[in-house]
Amino acid sequence: LHEAVVPSFARSPAALRRLLSALAVLEQRDGKLNTGSLSAVTAAQKLGGSIHAFVAGSSIKGVAEEAAKVEGIEKVIAVDNGAYDKGLPENYAPLLVENIKKGGYTHVIAGHTAFGKNLMPRVAALLDSQQISDVTNIENDKTFVRPIYAGNAIATVESSDPIKIITIRGTAFPAAPVAGGSAAVEDGVDPKAESPTEWVSEDLAKSDRPDLATAGRVVSGGRGLKSKEDFDKVMLPLADALGAAVGASRAAVDSGYADNSLQVGQTGKVVAPQLYMAVGISGAIQHLAGMKDSKVIVAINKDADAPIFQVADVGLVGDLFDKVPELTEKLSKA
Ligand code: FAD
């Protein structure tokens, strides 16, 4: 909170907490709350003040009612308008700004997802605030921890902006459970801002496997897989034997072995599963930036000097085309 606006009588920790109010911006798709976005609520809880949640889109009532069940949320602000379904930042940012101004929030928190990364810089610019991105820890109401240089250094930053616009790394804050709460649902203000951008269509990769960003187990393949056919032949049965999501290095994606949505790393998804298995991946820093917080890292690579072995808990030096099918067979029988 900006010191200048805090009267001296209110500077005790308890009084300060009462003045803190956070807005957690939640995501929805096709009328369903994206429970992964509830990480923003967990982050807001670290501030210790009051928490409201924000949702917008068509038939938003069901989403708002689900969010209302999350313990710790005092109020859900909902805007029912199909124009916000796809989260286009051009009209969503002015919408959010109007609601931030109305609610007088000190902190606005969204996930560091495609949605949050698109939206929050515009919101920050409209409010003349300095955005604080990809936060992994909240030390107090103005001090935040975030990785820089692809995770090779950790910066602790302090903000004196009156309204802090924050995106948080989902893997650093577990999603708040949808239970135990009974928040009020209130209509938000809708400025009905015209968007110069029109939503045309989307082409989504469909998979019955677990979602990469939230899966407890991930198996990723790299350039060592040599072709798309071999990637599918080697990695998919391994994923199925473990009930794991499939990931890939950028080299594998760029070579057309795997879909772009599967990329793990600095310019892909950041994951922190219980088990991360890197197959035929060298371990470039840009790849490590997306997986090195995994609980157990297993690497299979024919080069014993590959940098991936420096972060691996379990390493297997060998030809993946022999080792992985053998492992898959043993796992399937286990
Ligand atoms: P390689 O480095 O070519 O490694 C292939 C590995 O497979 C080697 O270690 C080799 O020993 C092993 N291998 C080969 N054949 C076999 C076999 N038969 N059995 C066992 N092992 C075998 N990369 C990412 O992954 N994610 C990102 O988000 C990302 N963002 C980037 C952003 C920027 C700005 C830049 C500059 C780069 C980025 N990169 C990213 C690219 C990164 O630098 C590496 O080029 C990439 O991660 C390499 O992928 P790889 O490990 O699959 O391929």
Side-chain angles (χ1 to χ4, degrees):
L1 200 65
H2 205 279
E3 300 251 313
V5 301
V6 181
S8 55
F9 68 85
R11 286 198 188 136
S12 75
L16 195 62
R17 270 199 297 280
R18 277 199 297 280
L19 289 171
L20 296 175
S21 62
L23 183 65
V25 187
L26 306 183
E27 298 179 35
Q28 60 91 22
R29 174 176 282 278
D30 301 331
K32 285 203 183 68
L33 178 68
N34 174 346
T35 50
S37 67
L38 293 170
S39 293
V41 177
T42 307
Q45 283 165 346
K46 289 208 116 193
L47 293 163
S50 73
I51 303 171
H52 292 179
F54 184 82
V55 288
S58 55
S59 313
I60 204 68
K61 198 162 169 265
V63 180
E65 281 169 359
E66 206 184 345
K69 291 186 205 146
V70 176
E71 195 175 342
I73 296 180
E74 282 174 26
K75 199 191 277 178
V76 179
I77 313 291
V79 174
D80 196 322
N81 183 343
Y84 304 119
D85 273 347
K86 300 298 178 186
L88 285 178
E90 289 84 351
N91 63 359
Y92 208 115
L95 165 75
L96 194 55
V97 166
E98 286 305 309
N99 285 279
I100 293 166
K101 285 183 179 162
K102 186 176 173 224
Y105 302 104
T106 55
H107 296 74
V108 183
I109 308 178
H112 195 68
T113 57
F115 170 81
K117 284 192 269 187
N118 244 344
L119 173 68
M120 297 299 259
R122 278 177 188 256
V123 172
L126 289 169
L127 292 170
D128 200 17
S129 275
Q130 173 80 45
Q131 194 199 316
I132 310 155
S133 304
D134 204 10
V135 166
T136 53
N137 195 18
I138 294 177
E139 291 198 345
N140 57 46
D141 60 301
K142 54 185 165 198
T143 315
F144 308 91
V145 178
R146 53 182 303 266
I148 55 169
Y149 301 124
N152 284 303
I154 304 294
T156 301
V157 296
E158 196 174 297
S159 165
S160 56
D161 279 328
I163 306 176
K164 294 166 183 55
I165 306 297
I166 300 162
T167 60
I168 50 119
R169 185 175 281 207
T171 53
F173 300 91
V178 184
S182 57
V185 177
E186 191 178 277
D187 286 340
V189 281
D190 185 354
K192 297 197 168 65
E194 288 289 320
S195 170
T197 309
E198 190 188 337
W199 184 267
V200 180
S201 67
E202 64 189 354
D203 191 6
L204 288 176
K206 287 199 179 68
S207 167
D208 295 332
R209 297 195 171 81
D211 173 47
L212 176 60
T214 52
R217 295 169 179 176
V218 173
V219 294
S220 285
R223 186 157 27 208
L225 269 304
K226 304 280 192 287
S227 69
K228 171 158 177 50
E229 291 68 41
D230 284 332
F231 188 99
D232 289 351
K233 203 168 81 191
V234 174
M235 297 305 293
L236 303 189
L238 176 65
D240 291 341
L242 283 166
V246 178
S249 70
R250 177 156 149 182
V253 169
D254 288 351
S255 309
Y257 306 170
D259 188 80
N260 183 268
S261 61
L262 303 187
Q263 185 176 318
V264 172
Q266 185 188 336
T267 43
K269 295 207 166 83
V270 176
V271 300
Q274 292 297 325
L275 173 69
Y276 187 88
M277 202 179 275
V279 177
I281 291 179
S282 60
I285 50 164
Q286 296 89 353
H287 187 79
L288 301 186
M291 45 64 74
K292 69 173 162 24
D293 291 333
S294 305
K295 307 294 170 292
V296 175
I297 298 172
V298 177
I300 302 178
N301 198 305
K302 68 176 182 187
D303 175 7
D305 295 325
I308 191 76
F309 288 123
Q310 287 166 21
V311 296
D313 300 288
V314 181
L316 179 59
V317 179
D319 189 327
L320 69 91
F321 292 104
D322 299 330
K323 301 297 178 202
V324 177
E326 192 185 332
L327 180 66
T328 303
E329 201 192 320
K330 288 193 171 139
L331 285 168
S332 305
K333 284 190 190 144

